[in-house]
Amino acid sequence: MPRKIIIDTDPGQDDAVAILLALASREELDVLGIVAVAGNVGLHHNANNALKIVELSGRVEVPVYAGCSRPLRRHLVTAEHVHGDTGLNGPDLPEPAKKLEAQHGVDYLIDTLMAAESKTITLCTLGPLTNIAMALIKQPAIADRIAEIVMMGGAYFEVGNITPAAEFNIYVDPEAADVVLRCGAPITVLPLDVTHQIQSTPPRLDAIKALGNKTGAAVHAMLTFSETFDLEKYGWDGAPLHDPTVIAYLLKPELFEGRHCNVAIETASELTVGMTVVDYWHVTGRVRNANYLRNGNAEGFFKLLTERLARLP
Ligand code: RIB
Ligand code: CA
């Protein structure tokens, strides 16, 4: 029986690869819907990019919703410097014929979780947590009905990427991350500690391009665009590939390793706002609210990703 998932996302090239990986894995994953959130770029582009990606995959039956256009409290911080002005620079994907659903993404999350059998839907979050937090605030009853939240976000051993202390998804909406981390639902975190081990080196990108399908060409164009900033910044052989690790965790959890511990969010200090304070060594008695992953198997990840992308048009 495929696992029912909803993907909350701010596409973003790495979000796009995550969505393609999920849509290519029909035996294991039933993608109920995709909800866009403001993050990498503004909501309009993120939602439009999600439509483009669904059309690229051929899975045009999957509904796409627009969620929140700004964080709960703070002004929106975006990342055009990484993702380009459209958020999906690199490939030349056609404007989508597919339209957004009329319902607001937050209401879609609430209605779907309230209507489904409890603990049967997993939320995969690839961007700021604004939509999830808004849904929890509007309908707190969903907290007990979510099977698991698997989120890309945060950092501890690798420290921050948008500031020295904070990872981008958490930094954009730290208040939302705080609401989600306190909600009581089972949470698994794919932080920079993992994604910095998952590097899109030239041989790995070449293998994706060598697939010879439209998807492989588009993913190669996406990642060779979005890697520029990180290659310059880190000087590594490949840029970290963040969001697809969320989907890979659902498909092959054995690729990853970590432990249950407390993860708390800094929301007050100007210096460290958005930091995920991870009690990895259990030095406090704080509730162990998250399965915090620290290591990932890059070879196994790229083998999985490449073979799944081969399934798409
Ligand atoms: O810090 C990496 C995260 O920020 C990824 O989700 C990327 O898409 C950006 O949203
Ligand atoms: Ca993202």
Side-chain angles (χ1 to χ4, degrees):
M1 188 72 176
R3 184 170 181 164
K4 296 183 187 315
I5 69 170
I6 296 173
I7 298 174
D8 192 86
T9 177
D10 61 337
Q13 290 86 352
D14 61 320
D15 302 66
V17 179
I19 294 166
L20 292 168
L21 176 57
L23 295 175
S25 305
R26 303 181 77 145
E27 294 79 11
E28 298 99 328
L29 302 175
D30 177 6
V31 182
L32 301 179
I34 295 171
V35 184
V37 65
N40 280 324
V41 290
L43 177 66
H44 168 74
H45 278 309
N46 288 341
N48 198 51
N49 292 340
L51 291 169
K52 289 182 177 181
I53 297 151
V54 166
E55 287 196 345
L56 172 66
S57 76
R59 298 285 311 280
V60 291
E61 79 281 3
V62 177
V64 178
Y65 299 80
C68 295
S69 60
R70 51 146 295 185
L72 296 186
R73 187 168 78 82
R74 298 169 189 269
H75 294 298
L76 177 63
V77 170
T78 54
E80 284 84 354
H81 61 288
V82 176
H83 301 276
D85 58 339
T86 73
L88 202 60
N89 291 41
D92 183 16
L93 298 178
E95 277 308 301
K98 183 177 173 63
K99 300 296 179 213
L100 291 172
E101 303 300 314
Q103 187 178 32
H104 191 285
V106 171
D107 293 326
Y108 166 72
L109 286 163
I110 293 168
D111 291 354
T112 307
L113 285 163
M114 294 305 288
E117 184 190 342
S118 188
K119 302 280 187 193
T120 58
I121 297 176
T122 296
L123 303 184
C124 299
T125 71
L126 313 179
L129 291 162
T130 314
N131 291 337
I132 313 304
M134 284 290 278
L136 286 162
I137 291 165
K138 187 172 182 184
Q139 178 48 279
I142 65 171
D144 293 336
R145 305 182 66 84
I146 299 167
E148 185 176 10
I149 298 171
V150 184
M151 58 177 280
M152 191 279 139
Y156 188 59
F157 301 95
E158 272 295 295
V159 294
N161 59 1
I162 189 74
T163 76
E167 177 278 327
F168 180 81
N169 288 339
I170 309 299
Y171 179 75
V172 168
D173 200 341
E175 285 75 18
D178 187 44
V179 167
V180 173
L181 268 297
R182 292 177 188 273
C183 79
I187 297 174
T188 293
V189 181
L190 280 296
L192 297 183
D193 307 312
V194 167
T195 66
H196 281 190
Q197 298 173 18
I198 309 296
Q199 296 180 6
S200 303
T201 58
R204 290 165 175 166
L205 290 181
D206 292 346
I208 289 172
K209 188 170 186 182
L211 291 174
N213 57 358
K214 217 171 36 156
T215 299
V219 166
H220 184 269
M222 286 178 203
L223 297 184
T224 46
F225 179 90
S226 62
E227 72 174 3
T228 314
F229 179 82
D230 280 343
L231 289 180
E232 185 100 7
K233 173 177 173 183
Y234 294 113
W236 296 339
D237 193 25
L241 186 50
H242 305 291
D243 293 338
T245 60
V246 166
I247 306 302
Y249 171 75
L250 295 181
L251 297 172
K252 282 186 175 291
E254 64 274 18
L255 292 175
F256 304 93
E257 176 269 322
R259 67 170 58 165
H260 273 87
C261 54
N262 178 264
V263 178
I265 309 296
E266 175 60 67
T267 57
S269 155
E270 274 314 300
L271 179 62
T272 57
V273 63
M275 182 175 184
T276 42
V277 180
V278 181
D279 185 8
Y280 201 80
W281 306 115
H282 302 151
V283 296
T284 74
R286 295 177 196 148
V287 63
R288 299 181 185 183
N289 59 335
N291 175 27
Y292 188 84
L293 300 178
R294 183 183 178 185
N295 292 302
N297 174 335
E299 279 306 310
F301 169 87
F302 280 98
K303 181 174 179 300
L304 171 68
L305 176 64
T306 308
E307 72 186 20
R308 293 296 164 101
L309 293 178
R311 297 181 179 183
L312 295 175

